[in-house]
Amino acid sequence: MKPDFQRDLIPRDDALHLTGALNTMKDKLHDAALQWELLDETGHVPATPSYSALLQHATEAQDLSRNVLRLTTDFARSPHHTTHASSTVLKHLATAATLSSHAAPHFAETAECALALPRSTTPTDRRYLTDRMAIDHGSARAFLRRASESLRDAAKELDDHLGFQRFLASLTRREGPPKPPPPRPGGLHR
């Protein structure tokens, strides 16, 4: 490999480590988006949704977001964050950090509505609160799902980068040292 190519490559071990971390975080966000449900089996907001369970969704979403932010910050501080592949990875990480940070407030607003629901005095108020809960909770789950997709895209970019490194390594192995020139016919005679 030529030295200028080496500068643009993320070290293999670093790329593998980051890919593992991205895949783990991606799975956590995806699982949370699937598992944290508000609606009952009939597709309606329960008559008495659990405030503490909904608040727990907000707490865990904030923890997930904090982990995505740490991952993004650590990568942005790495010495190879300026390469072409790294800038694309960083773009996906920044998107995931932004999206995941929007989830917790929506879960918290869902919990706030659940707390207000028993105090609603009219059917219109109750309907407004249940609709708002469904929208906020669905939005929060969508933010987690989209953040997971951004992490997936970052991991794919790193996988592609590792594939490029393998390709360059195979070229280097094939080239080898230059062959000596063939002997002249007739030896050293003039």
Side-chain angles (χ1 to χ4, degrees), residues 4 6 8 18 29 36-37 48 52 56 58 64 70 75 81 88 91-92 100 113-114 138 142 159 174 176 179 185-186:
D4 56 334
Q6 289 176 335
D8 288 338
L18 182 58
L29 290 167
W36 298 346
E37 295 182 355
T48 55
S52 60
Q56 187 63 34
L64 289 171
R70 273 194 200 109
F75 187 74
H81 76 278
T88 304
K91 177 183 160 259
H92 291 303
S100 66
C113 288
D159 284 340
R174 276 191 240 151
K179 294 180 182 180

mmCIF file of all heavy atoms in Angstrom, residues 4 6 8 18 29 36-37 48 52 56 58 64 70 75 81 88 91-92 100 113-114 138 142 159 174 176 179 185-186:
data_model
loop_
_atom_site.group_PDB
_atom_site.id
_atom_site.type_symbol
_atom_site.label_atom_id
_atom_site.label_comp_id
_atom_site.label_asym_id
_atom_site.label_seq_id
_atom_site.Cartn_x
_atom_site.Cartn_y
_atom_site.Cartn_z
ATOM 1 N N ASP A 4 0.173 7.328 1.147
ATOM 2 C CA ASP A 4 -0.983 8.218 1.158
ATOM 3 C C ASP A 4 -2.285 7.441 1.338
ATOM 4 O O ASP A 4 -3.242 7.944 1.896
ATOM 5 C CB ASP A 4 -1.031 9.086 -0.100
ATOM 6 C CG ASP A 4 -1.027 8.273 -1.382
ATOM 7 O OD1 ASP A 4 -0.514 7.139 -1.365
ATOM 8 O OD2 ASP A 4 -1.532 8.795 -2.398
ATOM 9 N N GLN A 6 -2.435 4.732 3.232
ATOM 10 C CA GLN A 6 -2.425 4.327 4.631
ATOM 11 C C GLN A 6 -2.980 5.416 5.544
ATOM 12 O O GLN A 6 -3.618 5.124 6.536
ATOM 13 C CB GLN A 6 -1.020 3.935 5.071
ATOM 14 C CG GLN A 6 -0.577 2.621 4.461
ATOM 15 C CD GLN A 6 0.848 2.271 4.811
ATOM 16 O OE1 GLN A 6 1.662 3.153 5.095
ATOM 17 N NE2 GLN A 6 1.160 0.988 4.783
ATOM 18 N N ASP A 8 -5.393 7.356 4.873
ATOM 19 C CA ASP A 8 -6.851 7.391 4.732
ATOM 20 C C ASP A 8 -7.534 6.134 5.246
ATOM 21 O O ASP A 8 -8.747 6.009 5.120
ATOM 22 C CB ASP A 8 -7.234 7.612 3.269
ATOM 23 C CG ASP A 8 -6.927 9.030 2.825
ATOM 24 O OD1 ASP A 8 -6.831 9.914 3.698
ATOM 25 O OD2 ASP A 8 -6.780 9.233 1.617
ATOM 26 N N LEU A 18 -15.157 -0.659 16.634
ATOM 27 C CA LEU A 18 -16.264 0.278 16.467
ATOM 28 C C LEU A 18 -17.473 -0.392 15.829
ATOM 29 O O LEU A 18 -18.610 -0.151 16.237
ATOM 30 C CB LEU A 18 -15.824 1.486 15.630
ATOM 31 C CG LEU A 18 -16.893 2.558 15.425
ATOM 32 C CD1 LEU A 18 -17.409 3.102 16.757
ATOM 33 C CD2 LEU A 18 -16.353 3.684 14.561
ATOM 34 N N LEU A 29 -31.217 -0.154 20.543
ATOM 35 C CA LEU A 29 -32.215 0.839 20.131
ATOM 36 C C LEU A 29 -33.373 0.165 19.401
ATOM 37 O O LEU A 29 -34.543 0.486 19.646
ATOM 38 C CB LEU A 29 -31.574 1.897 19.232
ATOM 39 C CG LEU A 29 -30.599 2.848 19.910
ATOM 40 C CD1 LEU A 29 -29.801 3.621 18.871
ATOM 41 C CD2 LEU A 29 -31.320 3.803 20.823
ATOM 42 N N TRP A 36 -41.057 -1.490 23.760
ATOM 43 C CA TRP A 36 -41.722 -0.491 24.595
ATOM 44 C C TRP A 36 -43.038 -0.091 23.949
ATOM 45 O O TRP A 36 -43.106 0.828 23.149
ATOM 46 C CB TRP A 36 -40.842 0.732 24.812
ATOM 47 C CG TRP A 36 -39.565 0.425 25.538
ATOM 48 C CD1 TRP A 36 -39.258 -0.710 26.220
ATOM 49 C CD2 TRP A 36 -38.436 1.272 25.633
ATOM 50 N NE1 TRP A 36 -37.991 -0.617 26.744
ATOM 51 C CE2 TRP A 36 -37.470 0.591 26.404
ATOM 52 C CE3 TRP A 36 -38.139 2.540 25.159
ATOM 53 C CZ2 TRP A 36 -36.230 1.133 26.706
ATOM 54 C CZ3 TRP A 36 -36.899 3.090 25.457
ATOM 55 C CH2 TRP A 36 -35.959 2.389 26.233
ATOM 56 N N GLU A 37 -44.072 -0.782 24.341
ATOM 57 C CA GLU A 37 -45.374 -0.549 23.746
ATOM 58 C C GLU A 37 -46.271 0.227 24.695
ATOM 59 O O GLU A 37 -46.173 0.099 25.913
ATOM 60 C CB GLU A 37 -46.034 -1.877 23.377
ATOM 61 C CG GLU A 37 -45.278 -2.616 22.291
ATOM 62 C CD GLU A 37 -45.949 -3.908 21.887
ATOM 63 O OE1 GLU A 37 -46.957 -4.296 22.519
ATOM 64 O OE2 GLU A 37 -45.461 -4.529 20.934
ATOM 65 N N THR A 48 -55.972 2.918 32.105
ATOM 66 C CA THR A 48 -55.078 3.444 33.144
ATOM 67 C C THR A 48 -53.639 3.031 32.830
ATOM 68 O O THR A 48 -53.121 2.075 33.395
ATOM 69 C CB THR A 48 -55.480 2.920 34.539
ATOM 70 O OG1 THR A 48 -55.505 1.479 34.484
ATOM 71 C CG2 THR A 48 -56.819 3.453 34.984
ATOM 72 N N SER A 52 -45.379 4.952 35.905
ATOM 73 C CA SER A 52 -44.003 4.550 36.225
ATOM 74 C C SER A 52 -43.372 3.768 35.065
ATOM 75 O O SER A 52 -42.189 3.961 34.772
ATOM 76 C CB SER A 52 -43.961 3.739 37.518
ATOM 77 O OG SER A 52 -44.736 2.568 37.388
ATOM 78 N N GLN A 56 -40.206 4.994 32.983
ATOM 79 C CA GLN A 56 -39.049 4.108 32.808
ATOM 80 C C GLN A 56 -38.600 4.094 31.345
ATOM 81 O O GLN A 56 -37.405 4.081 31.059
ATOM 82 C CB GLN A 56 -39.387 2.681 33.286
ATOM 83 C CG GLN A 56 -38.205 1.750 33.286
ATOM 84 C CD GLN A 56 -37.107 2.188 34.258
ATOM 85 O OE1 GLN A 56 -37.363 2.744 35.319
ATOM 86 N NE2 GLN A 56 -35.869 1.936 33.886
ATOM 87 N N ALA A 58 -38.785 6.588 29.331
ATOM 88 C CA ALA A 58 -38.046 7.855 29.161
ATOM 89 C C ALA A 58 -36.642 7.750 29.748
ATOM 90 O O ALA A 58 -35.661 8.200 29.130
ATOM 91 C CB ALA A 58 -38.820 9.000 29.813
ATOM 92 N N LEU A 64 -29.884 5.289 26.642
ATOM 93 C CA LEU A 64 -29.476 4.863 25.303
ATOM 94 C C LEU A 64 -28.900 6.048 24.520
ATOM 95 O O LEU A 64 -27.865 5.934 23.859
ATOM 96 C CB LEU A 64 -30.651 4.251 24.541
ATOM 97 C CG LEU A 64 -31.137 2.885 25.013
ATOM 98 C CD1 LEU A 64 -32.432 2.511 24.315
ATOM 99 C CD2 LEU A 64 -30.070 1.824 24.776
ATOM 100 N N ARG A 70 -21.906 9.288 23.572
ATOM 101 C CA ARG A 70 -20.530 8.935 23.962
ATOM 102 C C ARG A 70 -19.789 8.278 22.802
ATOM 103 O O ARG A 70 -18.628 8.587 22.534
ATOM 104 C CB ARG A 70 -20.542 7.978 25.157
ATOM 105 C CG ARG A 70 -20.594 8.673 26.465
ATOM 106 C CD ARG A 70 -20.264 7.714 27.608
ATOM 107 N NE ARG A 70 -20.783 8.292 28.810
ATOM 108 C CZ ARG A 70 -21.829 7.840 29.489
ATOM 109 N NH1 ARG A 70 -22.451 6.756 29.097
ATOM 110 N NH2 ARG A 70 -22.240 8.438 30.572
ATOM 111 N N PHE A 75 -15.645 8.713 18.784
ATOM 112 C CA PHE A 75 -15.210 8.581 17.398
ATOM 113 C C PHE A 75 -14.745 9.924 16.836
ATOM 114 O O PHE A 75 -13.755 9.990 16.115
ATOM 115 C CB PHE A 75 -16.322 7.993 16.528
ATOM 116 C CG PHE A 75 -15.865 7.694 15.132
ATOM 117 C CD1 PHE A 75 -15.039 6.614 14.880
ATOM 118 C CD2 PHE A 75 -16.239 8.499 14.074
ATOM 119 C CE1 PHE A 75 -14.588 6.344 13.594
ATOM 120 C CE2 PHE A 75 -15.799 8.240 12.792
ATOM 121 C CZ PHE A 75 -14.971 7.152 12.553
ATOM 122 N N HIS A 81 -10.632 10.389 12.388
ATOM 123 C CA HIS A 81 -11.984 10.865 12.083
ATOM 124 C C HIS A 81 -12.041 11.743 10.832
ATOM 125 O O HIS A 81 -13.113 12.081 10.368
ATOM 126 C CB HIS A 81 -12.578 11.620 13.282
ATOM 127 C CG HIS A 81 -12.036 12.996 13.453
ATOM 128 N ND1 HIS A 81 -10.840 13.232 14.079
ATOM 129 C CD2 HIS A 81 -12.504 14.199 13.057
ATOM 130 C CE1 HIS A 81 -10.604 14.527 14.070
ATOM 131 N NE2 HIS A 81 -11.594 15.142 13.453
ATOM 132 N N THR A 88 -18.071 9.922 6.737
ATOM 133 C CA THR A 88 -19.396 9.345 6.480
ATOM 134 C C THR A 88 -19.915 8.635 7.729
ATOM 135 O O THR A 88 -21.088 8.770 8.080
ATOM 136 C CB THR A 88 -19.330 8.365 5.288
ATOM 137 O OG1 THR A 88 -18.790 9.064 4.163
ATOM 138 C CG2 THR A 88 -20.696 7.826 4.940
ATOM 139 N N LYS A 91 -21.055 11.215 10.163
ATOM 140 C CA LYS A 91 -22.346 11.786 9.753
ATOM 141 C C LYS A 91 -23.493 10.888 10.240
ATOM 142 O O LYS A 91 -24.477 11.371 10.802
ATOM 143 C CB LYS A 91 -22.393 11.933 8.237
ATOM 144 C CG LYS A 91 -23.705 12.447 7.704
ATOM 145 C CD LYS A 91 -23.672 12.498 6.173
ATOM 146 C CE LYS A 91 -25.041 12.528 5.617
ATOM 147 N NZ LYS A 91 -25.537 11.286 5.107
ATOM 148 N N HIS A 92 -23.354 9.580 10.048
ATOM 149 C CA HIS A 92 -24.388 8.651 10.512
ATOM 150 C C HIS A 92 -24.481 8.657 12.046
ATOM 151 O O HIS A 92 -25.587 8.595 12.602
ATOM 152 C CB HIS A 92 -24.103 7.230 10.019
ATOM 153 C CG HIS A 92 -24.268 7.044 8.546
ATOM 154 N ND1 HIS A 92 -25.438 7.329 7.878
ATOM 155 C CD2 HIS A 92 -23.405 6.605 7.601
ATOM 156 C CE1 HIS A 92 -25.288 7.068 6.591
ATOM 157 N NE2 HIS A 92 -24.056 6.632 6.395
ATOM 158 N N SER A 100 -31.771 9.875 18.598
ATOM 159 C CA SER A 100 -31.969 9.199 19.887
ATOM 160 C C SER A 100 -32.242 10.204 21.002
ATOM 161 O O SER A 100 -32.983 9.910 21.944
ATOM 162 C CB SER A 100 -30.763 8.326 20.233
ATOM 163 O OG SER A 100 -29.610 9.101 20.461
ATOM 164 N N CYS A 113 -48.869 12.707 30.250
ATOM 165 C CA CYS A 113 -50.284 12.554 29.873
ATOM 166 C C CYS A 113 -50.943 11.418 30.655
ATOM 167 O O CYS A 113 -52.107 11.517 31.044
ATOM 168 C CB CYS A 113 -50.422 12.293 28.373
ATOM 169 S SG CYS A 113 -50.070 13.728 27.351
ATOM 170 N N ALA A 114 -50.192 10.338 30.887
ATOM 171 C CA ALA A 114 -50.737 9.220 31.660
ATOM 172 C C ALA A 114 -51.077 9.657 33.069
ATOM 173 O O ALA A 114 -52.081 9.215 33.650
ATOM 174 C CB ALA A 114 -49.737 8.067 31.694
ATOM 175 N N GLY A 138 -45.539 6.855 19.967
ATOM 176 C CA GLY A 138 -45.179 6.377 18.631
ATOM 177 C C GLY A 138 -44.012 7.155 18.044
ATOM 178 O O GLY A 138 -43.122 6.589 17.392
ATOM 179 N N ALA A 142 -40.335 5.771 17.008
ATOM 180 C CA ALA A 142 -39.824 6.022 15.658
ATOM 181 C C ALA A 142 -38.430 6.653 15.715
ATOM 182 O O ALA A 142 -37.560 6.312 14.902
ATOM 183 C CB ALA A 142 -40.788 6.917 14.880
ATOM 184 N N ASP A 159 -17.859 -1.601 7.453
ATOM 185 C CA ASP A 159 -17.674 -2.894 6.790
ATOM 186 C C ASP A 159 -17.155 -2.702 5.370
ATOM 187 O O ASP A 159 -16.257 -3.423 4.921
ATOM 188 C CB ASP A 159 -18.983 -3.690 6.759
ATOM 189 C CG ASP A 159 -19.328 -4.301 8.100
ATOM 190 O OD1 ASP A 159 -18.432 -4.453 8.954
ATOM 191 O OD2 ASP A 159 -20.519 -4.641 8.289
ATOM 192 N N ARG A 174 -0.006 -9.297 -4.368
ATOM 193 C CA ARG A 174 0.205 -9.723 -5.755
ATOM 194 C C ARG A 174 1.374 -8.994 -6.397
ATOM 195 O O ARG A 174 2.076 -9.553 -7.216
ATOM 196 C CB ARG A 174 -1.051 -9.464 -6.592
ATOM 197 C CG ARG A 174 -2.043 -10.579 -6.463
ATOM 198 C CD ARG A 174 -3.115 -10.386 -7.503
ATOM 199 N NE ARG A 174 -4.373 -10.251 -6.801
ATOM 200 C CZ ARG A 174 -5.406 -9.575 -7.204
ATOM 201 N NH1 ARG A 174 -5.381 -8.936 -8.333
ATOM 202 N NH2 ARG A 174 -6.502 -9.530 -6.503
ATOM 203 N N GLY A 176 4.313 -7.612 -5.121
ATOM 204 C CA GLY A 176 5.617 -8.101 -4.701
ATOM 205 C C GLY A 176 6.755 -7.231 -5.228
ATOM 206 O O GLY A 176 6.535 -6.212 -5.864
ATOM 207 N N LYS A 179 10.611 -7.851 -10.641
ATOM 208 C CA LYS A 179 11.449 -8.950 -11.136
ATOM 209 C C LYS A 179 12.691 -8.364 -11.792
ATOM 210 O O LYS A 179 12.631 -7.300 -12.417
ATOM 211 C CB LYS A 179 10.665 -9.773 -12.157
ATOM 212 C CG LYS A 179 9.483 -10.485 -11.545
ATOM 213 C CD LYS A 179 8.755 -11.288 -12.606
ATOM 214 C CE LYS A 179 7.554 -11.966 -11.998
ATOM 215 N NZ LYS A 179 6.806 -12.747 -12.964
ATOM 216 N N PRO A 185 20.543 -12.073 -24.424
ATOM 217 C CA PRO A 185 21.029 -13.228 -25.185
ATOM 218 C C PRO A 185 22.502 -13.010 -25.578
ATOM 219 O O PRO A 185 22.911 -11.915 -25.910
ATOM 220 C CB PRO A 185 20.147 -13.266 -26.423
ATOM 221 C CG PRO A 185 19.204 -12.104 -26.328
ATOM 222 C CD PRO A 185 19.476 -11.373 -25.076
ATOM 223 N N GLY A 186 23.239 -14.042 -25.472
ATOM 224 C CA GLY A 186 24.629 -13.957 -25.864
ATOM 225 C C GLY A 186 25.549 -13.506 -24.753
ATOM 226 O O GLY A 186 26.727 -13.306 -24.959
#
